[in-house]
């Protein structure tokens, strides 16, 4: 479960807090996971809830991690975002109400056509080798599946 704003300020980095709690965007190509293609699961940095798996991640060239879909669509909330003169759809974690990024309709058609463009700062990556001991064993079949 998500902690209070004060607790989050103590446990998150400044960038993680700004992204998840203040809807900031980290710099493209200068974030932890944009070029990470190791097998594993990506979890909400505020709650630990598993949100995305590496088998649904693809290289989009956008400078942020891009996923074809969340593990469970019910665990993310999509909200119309008309800020900065753009029409976008914001993606937030349901449990943590953390800003994750945005979803676009320019993803690979073979993967469903969506591109969940997610800030690395909103995520924590758990490598396949650590998934069982960290409590994410249920997601191992999703990580090891072939696309």
């Amino acid at each position: 479960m998500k902690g209070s704003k004060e607790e989050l300020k103590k446990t998150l980095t400044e960038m993680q807090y700004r992204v998840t709690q203040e809807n900031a965007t980290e710099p493209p190509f200068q974030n932890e996971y944009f070029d990470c293609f190791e097998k594993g699961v990506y979890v909400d940095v505020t709650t630990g809830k598993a949100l995305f798996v590496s088998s649904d991640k693809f290289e989009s060239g956008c400078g942020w991690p891009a996923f074809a879909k969340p593990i469970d669509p019910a665990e993310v909330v999509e909200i119309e975002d008309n800020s900065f003169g753009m029409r976008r759809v914001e993606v937030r974690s349901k449990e943590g109400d953390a800003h994750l990024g945005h979803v676009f309709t320019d993803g690979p058609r073979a993967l469903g056509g969506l591109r969940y463009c997610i800030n690395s700062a909103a995520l924590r990556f758990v490598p396949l080798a650590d998934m069982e001991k960290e409590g994410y064993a249920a997601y191992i079949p999703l990580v090891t599946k072939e696309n």
Side-chain angles (χ1 to χ4, degrees):
M1 192 69 180
K2 177 181 168 179
S4 69
K5 296 273 187 189
E6 294 75 29
E7 291 171 326
L8 289 174
K9 279 188 175 182
K10 291 177 187 172
T11 60
L12 300 178
T13 67
E14 182 180 343
M15 180 61 77
Q16 288 171 327
Y17 187 87
R18 287 183 53 238
V19 166
T20 62
Q21 304 306 300
E22 299 173 347
N23 302 340
T25 300
E26 65 194 356
F29 303 103
Q30 298 174 35
N31 57 77
E32 192 169 3
Y33 305 127
F34 85 92
D35 62 351
C36 173
F37 289 94
E38 183 180 346
K39 289 184 178 189
V41 65
Y42 292 84
V43 304
D44 179 344
V45 75
T46 67
T47 65
K49 183 75 173 178
L51 298 175
F52 300 96
V53 290
S54 57
S55 54
D56 291 323
K57 190 172 190 286
F58 61 92
E59 173 54 58
S60 68
C62 69
W64 293 278
F67 301 90
K69 64 183 188 251
I71 295 170
D72 180 352
E75 292 300 332
V76 298
V77 177
E78 297 181 6
I79 303 167
E80 185 176 331
D81 176 2
N82 295 314
S83 62
F84 305 107
M86 295 182 273
R87 296 187 66 168
R88 304 179 291 177
V89 176
E90 178 189 11
V91 180
R92 300 187 71 83
S93 64
K94 181 179 179 182
E95 188 175 318
D97 190 32
H99 171 73
L100 302 173
H102 292 87
V103 62
F104 301 96
T105 57
D106 61 357
R109 292 274 173 242
L111 299 177
L114 297 178
R115 174 174 57 96
Y116 284 80
C117 185
I118 306 298
N119 288 281
S120 291
L123 303 173
R124 182 175 72 85
F125 178 69
V126 181
L128 177 58
D130 297 337
M131 287 176 62
E132 188 169 357
K133 73 179 177 188
E134 289 201 30
Y136 299 102
Y139 302 103
I140 291 173
L142 297 176
V143 169
T144 58
K145 74 175 182 167
E146 296 295 322
N147 283 337

